[in-house]
Amino acid sequence: MEALSSKEQNSPTEMHLLAYNSNWSALMGRLESNPEEGGKTVDETEWFNQDDDSLPEDDLVIEAKQLAPIHILCTRKNLPKEILKKYVDKCPDVFRLLTSDKRSALHLACYSNQSLEVILFIATTDPDSISWQESFDGWNALHICIYCDTEAGVTSSLLNVAGDQMSEIALTCKDKHGRIPLVLAYNVRANITKSDFECIFHASKHLVLKKSPLEELSRNYSSYLSTCLELKPPPKAMISNSAPSLFCNRRKSISVESLYLWRPGDSLNLWRCIHKVMVVLGMNNTKENCVSTYPLLHECLMQDPHCRSNIFYCILSLNPHYVCQINTNHDLPLHVAARLAEDTREWKNRISHLLVAYPRATSIQDGKGKVALEILVERNLNGSLIFPLVRCFPQALSRLSLHTTLYSRILSKLSKKKDFNVVFVILKEIPNLFC
């Protein structure tokens, strides 16, 4: 989009100065008497970026040229929407004016964290500007809102205003680093609310990306997730048949909430990550889906089948009781893992953590009446995934129709001193197994 033709000059007009000083009443008077000044641009910007103690410290500094009064106006704090309405009445195409670095009034309003009603008024007046990209970072309005801590609801409102066609263009625009708005929203420095992240995530769900959402979050929040695992490490106790509630109550770890007292920055970033993870895993509305009942661990296993993120361990460490939950198919997380597992070290570690947290899961049937050991054997997976389940619940062997060579392999793996009780259970309860 090219800027509209306008008269350029080196010195600012009176309207530039009135906009700079936030003199709303005088600005409107000047616009009534000299409406042509509303579209004039100025190349000299030193007067605009000078130090002024009377202005807020976080006022936006613009180094571009071709500044019109509307550009300066959109960087002023507490800008009333009524001023913009009167401005547009006198200069209908003013929102289509671009600075020398292709920033529009909407770009500058988003950068300056203007109110929701101001940003929506600009976007509604000129919806095309939502997808325009400025030349410095290659960001459009969605990129800016995701990164610049705008008011809650701005991102979702922009998508609603843009419509289907314009939203598709805005959602697929890549900045100079090749990031679409969704990928930028995964970034640790993205200041986006959970509701806005939810909106942009679902609007972009159809887009094919190189990495899965959990991989992106794990990569961007790696240090904070590691902090979480240091505070509340996943269970590493010996596998036993103790109830999960007893096991969980014995854990003495620093809570994530207490992290806020001495490392508030890490704590806030960690909770932002957890909120994004909950959205990615399908938990969109915490009022409808209670955290304590929604099967987060199930969803994490299904959406990260290649084990490329450590978010699974973080969820398990934050609330080990998730291993006891069943989903709508009456599956425990162990059943889901048995259906998805591959012959890799990562999957072996995941199953081991599930067994340590809830060993009794090996004796519980899924919705189809199968235990986890049956599911693994039917998939002809490596014995290294099967042996831990046999140690927890050897009685499950009686439910299988296996080749005799597998029995001998199982017994050979159960040769350690701690496995004598497992062999004893097999010989006592299923003596005809090897006949």
Side-chain angles (χ1 to χ4, degrees):
M1 179 66 196
E2 296 181 357
L4 298 181
S5 58
S6 57
K7 185 178 180 181
E8 299 177 9
Q9 57 184 43
N10 290 325
S11 59
T13 64
E14 183 176 348
M15 193 173 294
H16 283 87
L17 298 174
L18 293 174
Y20 172 72
N21 292 309
S22 303
N23 193 336
W24 311 134
S25 57
L27 177 67
M28 290 299 96
R30 183 69 179 178
L31 193 59
E32 288 284 347
S33 59
N34 295 281
E36 68 279 358
E37 283 190 13
K40 290 184 178 180
T41 60
V42 60
D43 282 342
E44 182 58 56
T45 59
E46 290 183 2
W47 60 273
F48 174 67
N49 294 325
Q50 62 184 321
D51 294 332
D52 191 340
D53 296 336
S54 65
L55 297 175
E57 293 182 0
D58 55 349
D59 258 4
L60 182 66
V61 174
I62 304 178
E63 297 180 356
K65 297 182 179 181
Q66 299 178 11
L67 289 181
I70 188 64
H71 298 137
I72 302 170
L73 204 61
C74 288
T75 65
R76 302 296 92 184
K77 300 301 177 184
N78 303 315
L79 172 64
K81 184 178 72 172
E82 291 72 21
I83 300 296
L84 292 179
K85 284 183 177 180
K86 294 180 181 179
Y87 205 125
V88 173
D89 289 342
K90 296 296 181 181
C91 305
D93 295 327
V94 71
F95 289 149
R96 303 182 73 82
L97 290 173
L98 303 180
T99 64
S100 60
D101 58 1
K102 297 184 179 180
R103 293 187 182 184
S104 67
L106 181 60
H107 286 113
L108 297 173
C110 294
Y111 271 119
S112 302
N113 298 328
Q114 294 290 355
S115 65
L116 176 61
E117 63 173 3
V118 167
I119 293 177
L120 283 187
F121 176 75
I122 300 174
T124 305
T125 305
D126 192 5
D128 291 350
S129 61
I130 297 175
S131 63
W132 295 349
Q133 292 179 271
E134 43 98 305
S135 59
F136 183 70
D137 288 309
W139 285 356
N140 61 27
L142 293 181
H143 287 99
I144 299 169
C145 289
I146 289 169
Y147 210 73
C148 293
D149 197 18
T150 52
E151 186 177 334
V154 171
T155 305
S156 54
S157 298
L158 285 177
L159 289 174
N160 293 332
V161 169
D164 294 339
Q165 183 177 1
M166 196 55 60
S167 293
E168 185 71 16
I169 296 174
L171 290 169
T172 53
C173 284
K174 296 182 179 180
D175 64 8
K176 68 177 184 180
H177 299 293
R179 299 173 299 185
I180 62 174
L182 177 61
V183 174
L184 189 64
Y186 293 139
N187 194 283
V188 67
R189 296 181 63 186
N191 295 309
I192 185 172
T193 63
K194 183 182 177 184
S195 59
D196 283 337
F197 178 81
E198 176 185 341
C199 179
I200 199 166
F201 174 76
H202 288 291
S204 308
K205 211 169 184 180
H206 64 286
L207 302 177
V208 179
L209 304 177
K210 293 182 180 179
K211 295 184 179 181
S212 69
L214 291 183
E215 287 182 65
E216 288 284 357
L217 289 173
S218 182
R219 180 178 64 84
N220 282 285
Y221 288 86
S222 59
S223 61
Y224 305 103
L225 293 172
S226 299
T227 300
C228 173
L229 293 175
E230 291 173 4
L231 295 175
K232 298 175 73 70
K236 293 183 180 180
M238 294 292 294
I239 296 177
S240 66
N241 281 322
S242 60
S245 58
L246 296 177
F247 165 77
C248 298
N249 292 336
R250 285 200 302 266
R251 300 182 66 214
K252 295 181 180 179
S253 302
I254 303 174
S255 66
V256 179
E257 292 85 349
S258 66
L259 175 65
Y260 181 77
L261 298 176
W262 50 285
R263 291 167 70 179
D266 287 358
S267 177
L268 291 175
N269 282 319
L270 179 57
W271 280 116
R272 283 175 181 167
C273 177
I274 293 172
H275 288 160
K276 292 177 183 179
V277 168
M278 292 165 72
V279 171
V280 168
L281 296 181
M283 187 174 172
N284 304 327
N285 192 333
T286 53
K287 294 182 180 179
E288 296 179 1
N289 301 309
C290 180
V291 177
S292 60
T293 58
Y294 192 83
L296 285 178
L297 211 55
H298 298 72
E299 294 294 329
C300 186
L301 288 167
M302 290 188 288
Q303 296 198 34
D304 187 23
H306 302 297
C307 306
R308 292 174 179 169
S309 77
N310 60 349
I311 293 177
F312 164 81
Y313 300 105
C314 292
I315 294 176
L316 181 59
S317 65
L318 290 173
N319 190 346
H321 288 280
Y322 282 137
V323 296
C324 311
Q325 294 177 341
I326 59 172
N327 60 11
T328 54
N329 296 324
H330 299 281
D331 293 336
L332 288 166
L334 184 62
H335 297 131
V336 176
R339 291 192 180 92
L340 299 174
E342 301 173 355
D343 292 330
T344 62
R345 179 182 298 177
E346 290 78 11
W347 268 110
K348 184 178 179 181
N349 290 336
R350 283 190 173 191
I351 290 179
S352 296
H353 280 91
L354 290 174
L355 293 178
V356 169
Y358 192 24
R360 289 184 180 179
T362 54
S363 63
I364 298 176
Q365 300 177 4
D366 64 2
K368 297 180 180 179
K370 296 181 180 180
V371 296
L373 183 61
E374 289 181 88
I375 299 172
L376 285 174
V377 170
E378 287 176 357
R379 297 183 59 216
N380 296 318
L381 292 177
N382 192 297
S384 61
L385 294 174
I386 297 175
F387 301 139
L389 276 73
V390 174
R391 289 190 176 98
C392 286
F393 188 58
Q395 293 90 332
L397 291 173
S398 62
R399 303 171 59 93
L400 308 177
S401 175
L402 304 179
H403 193 275
T404 54
T405 57
L406 183 57
Y407 291 127
S408 58
R409 287 169 56 199
I410 290 175
L411 282 179
S412 66
K413 290 291 184 180
L414 301 176
S415 58
K416 297 180 180 179
K417 185 176 181 180
K418 65 179 181 179
D419 293 325
F420 286 171
N421 62 329
V422 178
V423 177
F424 176 76
V425 171
I426 294 175
L427 294 177
K428 179 181 178 181
E429 300 194 14
I430 40 180
N432 298 326
L433 185 62
F434 300 101
C435 295

